[in-house]
């Protein structure tokens, strides 16, 4: 994870770097730092524990001049969060400064080698090894910075996106990537670099996404040059990115998470735009048109994902199996990549990722590709690594998700999975036409029904106040609602630090029921679908043990109202689309409990938005 940003041009670098770091703070926020080369050729490095705002306070009274610089916001992997471990790291002579996102896996061996040669290390990071190694290669061989970086990266095992400054070369930044994202922005007489395009779009829409093992040579008054580790030059592919700056701001909401929850009706409309035509009763995904044969021939689908995206994958399994009669396996990407999975050329692997950068999901994609599977990506971040590594895919088009707790990406992923299942089902004729039409028309009604759910915000905020006492929560659901229960529990854990578990409701009696007492809040998804009566029995079992039941029910439900402690009533929908509505009250409940407890909702402890390390 970590966010990196850089600037070279005619403007003062510091304000651009700080603004960029704030846009990237979702990637990590335990320490931050900046390196600037001043007009007097001083290479000034300032860094501190804490947020970007702490860095701003730290540099008051310091020389922050210069129109070239690099900056970093950290999510600690090696070495605790503290100012010494914060980036940028100086080389021993303090003539080089380097920022890094990723992990240098062989750092211990390299460190020992450098220590034996007299290099002194200040931090406990893997990153410091890299800057020292570059300096060592540079000075012993009398190389320029580019050649030293090329040689050093050849010795490194692991993942990196780096940027390096050299004190005596105030007109050059050398940047490189392998398995960690890096984007170069090309402006008028200026260049930007960043972990994603969000710090750049304010200044230019022309960007280059570096590929693995590519090095960008960014020099003032010269064209951008891209070479590989062997110095073979490639012509950088400049693409135009479109990002609405308003989407990167809170827009009057107290937190990004709340804004993103409320955006969901609009996001789902955007996600369906140009894909669903309700007048013509049609759903079209261009990826399915382009790769129809491959997808229809699939004997099996395997979905790989992590976290919330994995929960969406579980819903995708239900949808694809029930609409298309194709077997679907759902795997944690982190487990899949290190097993020796049985994959063949008739398998379609679907990779789901909001950020498109999750290291485990990307590695799972590469593994499946190497075994001959056809890979379909479902991602949000346009141009990110996973969509570029897959054969085809569908973006969810929900706009940038900044809050660390994923919300609108989940409903966007479920919407794309529903459209995918519907498209394939129609081609395979595995769903009757009336059933297909009913689902399609109801999918079109979901944004309006989501708006009705948003109107419950105040009720849920009041409810949240009652449950801030809890140290544990249980979430229960069956069928399509089981993944929603998992997702509700994850949301609560992430932002309120309350321990929560999600279970299939019927599993409760096989163990978790022992946890129920008068203090235990149990959120039960009990809409008027499928296994409704059975869920009522599960609620009775909880009440018999005095548990506190918060039931998510269908509007007008009179039966559960008599048993549960509180009910949240949702508009009626089809069972297969239920999760698009039931997940929202759980997002709001987690949000309000966290706010009541005074937690940092958008930047919860220990987490980062984009998990680009294993
Ligand atoms: O970007 P991805 O969808 O690949 O991210 C996967 C998980 O890291 C992510 O969903 C994580 O679990 C969220 N913090 C959940 O809110």
């Amino acid at each position: 994870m970590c966010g990196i940003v850089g600037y070279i041009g005619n403007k003062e670098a510091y304000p651009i770097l700080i603004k960029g770091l704030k846009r990237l703070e979702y990637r990590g926020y335990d320490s931050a730092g900046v390196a600037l080369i001043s007009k007097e050729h001083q290479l000034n490095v300032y860094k501190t524990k804490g947020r970007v705002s702490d860095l701003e306070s730290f540099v008051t009274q310091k020389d922050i001049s210069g129109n070239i610089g690099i900056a970093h916001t950290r999510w600690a992997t090696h070495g605790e969060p503290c100012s010494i471990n914060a980036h940028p790291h100086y080389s021993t002579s303090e003539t080089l400064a380097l920022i890094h996102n990723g992990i240098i896996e062989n750092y211990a061996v390299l460190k020992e080698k450098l220590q034996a040669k007299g290099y002194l290390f200040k931090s406990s990071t893997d990153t410091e090894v890299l800057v020292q190694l570059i300096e060592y290669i540079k000075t012993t061989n009398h190389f320029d910075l580019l050649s030293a970086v090329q040689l050093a990266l050849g010795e490194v095992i692991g993942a990196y996106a780096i940027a390096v400054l050299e004190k005596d070369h105030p007109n050059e930044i050398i940047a490189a990537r392998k398995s960690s994202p890096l984007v170069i922005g090309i402006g008028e007489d200026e260049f930007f670099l960043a972990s994603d395009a969000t710090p750049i779009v304010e200044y230019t829409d022309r960007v280059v996404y570096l590929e693995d093992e590519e090095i960008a040579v960014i020099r003032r008054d010269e064209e951008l040059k891209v070479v590989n580790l062997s110095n073979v030059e490639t012509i950088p592919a400049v693409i135009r990115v479109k990002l609405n700056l308003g989407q990167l701001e809170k827009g009057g909401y107290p937190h990004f998470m709340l804004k993103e929850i409320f955006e969901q009706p609009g996001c789902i409309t955007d996600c369906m735009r140009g894909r669903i035509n309700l007048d013509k009763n049609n759903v079209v995904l261009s990826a399915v048109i382009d790769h129809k044969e491959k997808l229809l021939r699939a004997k099996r689908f395997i979905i790989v994902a992590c976290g919330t995206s994995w929960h969406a994958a579980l819903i995708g399994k239900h949808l694809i199996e029930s609409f298309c009669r194709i077997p679907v396996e759902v795997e944690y990407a982190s487990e899949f990549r290190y097993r020796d999975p049985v994959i063949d050329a008739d398998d379609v692997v679907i990779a789901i990722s909001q950020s498109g950068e999750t290291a485990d999901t990307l590695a799972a994609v590469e593994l499946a590709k190497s075994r001959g599977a056809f890979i379909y990506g479902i991602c949000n971040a346009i141009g990110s690594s996973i969509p570029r590594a897959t054969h085809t895919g569908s973006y969810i088009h929900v706009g940038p998700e900044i809050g660390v707790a994923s919300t609108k990406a989940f409903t966007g992923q479920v919407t794309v999975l529903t459209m995918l299942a519907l498209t394939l089902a129609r081609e395979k004729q595995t769903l009757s036409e009336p059933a297909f039409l009913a689902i399609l028309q109801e999918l079109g009604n979901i944004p309006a029904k989501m708006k009705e759910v948003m109107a419950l915000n105040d009720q849920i905020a009041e409810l949240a106040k009652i449950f801030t006492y809890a140290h544990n929560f249980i979430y229960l659901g069956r069928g399509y609602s089981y993944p929603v229960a998992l997702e509700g529990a994850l949301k609560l854990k992430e932002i309120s630090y309350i321990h929560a578990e999600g279970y299939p409701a019927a599993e409760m009696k096989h163990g978790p029921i022992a946890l129920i007492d008068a203090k235990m809040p149990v959120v039960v998804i009990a809409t008027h679908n499928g296994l409704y009566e059975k869920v009522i029995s599960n609620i009775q079992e909880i009440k018999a043990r005095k548990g506190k039941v918060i039931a998510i029910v269908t509007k007008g439900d009179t039966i559960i109202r008599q048993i549960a402690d509180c009910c949240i009533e949702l508009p009626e929908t089809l069972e297969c689309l239920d999760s698009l509505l039931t997940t929202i009250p759980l997002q709001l409940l987690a949000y309000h409990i966290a706010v009541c407890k005074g937690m940092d909702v958008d930047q919860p402890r220990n987490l980062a938005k984009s998990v680009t390390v294993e």
Side-chain angles (χ1 to χ4, degrees), residues 305-311 352-359 361-362 378-380 386 401 403-407 409 413 487 490-491 494-495 604 607-611:
C306 304
T308 287
S309 299
W310 186 80
H311 298 154
I352 307 181
S353 172
Q354 185 286 129
S355 62
E357 299 294 351
T358 300
T361 311
L362 185 56
I378 296 179
C379 297
N380 188 33
I386 293 171
E401 191 182 66
V404 165
S406 188
T407 52
Q413 290 161 347
E487 177 59 8
L490 178 63
K491 289 292 87 91
E494 281 186 294
I495 59 170
L607 294 177
K609 182 74 185 158
S610 199
V611 186

Side-chain angles (χ1 to χ4, degrees), residues 183-193 200 203-208 218 222-226 236-240:
V183 190
I184 315 290
I186 304 173
E188 287 295 321
D189 303 320
E190 59 186 357
F191 292 100
F192 307 82
L193 67 89
I200 298 174
Y203 310 100
T204 177
D205 62 353
R206 298 176 65 225
V207 302
V208 171
I218 309 167
E222 286 185 23
E223 294 286 304
L224 172 69
K225 184 170 150 185
V226 175
V238 181
I239 61 164
R240 301 233 173 224

Side-chain angles (χ1 to χ4, degrees), residues 4 36 47 52 72 116 131 139 160 207 214 256 281 288 339-340 383 386 404 444 458 486 491 511 532 590:
I4 71 176
L36 298 150
K47 48 192 197 170
V52 178
H72 189 271
V131 71
T139 48
Y160 54 78
V207 302
E214 281 186 345
F256 279 110
N281 285 323
V288 178
R339 280 197 296 107
D340 185 11
I386 293 171
V404 165
D458 290 347
L486 294 177
K491 289 292 87 91
Y532 176 72

Side-chain angles (χ1 to χ4, degrees), residues 541-584:
E541 287 156 13
I542 301 161
K543 284 314 299 172
R545 286 150 188 92
K546 299 194 168 36
K548 297 276 172 289
V549 172
I550 306 161
I552 312 297
V553 298
T554 305
K555 205 182 272 173
D557 189 310
T558 48
I559 300 171
I560 296 181
R561 181 159 292 284
Q562 292 168 33
I563 329 167
D565 296 83
C566 28
C567 287
I568 299 171
E569 292 190 28
L570 306 186
E572 184 149 22
T573 189
L574 296 174
E575 185 177 6
C576 61
L577 303 179
D578 229 14
S579 64
L580 291 168
L581 302 183
T582 51
T583 196
I584 295 172

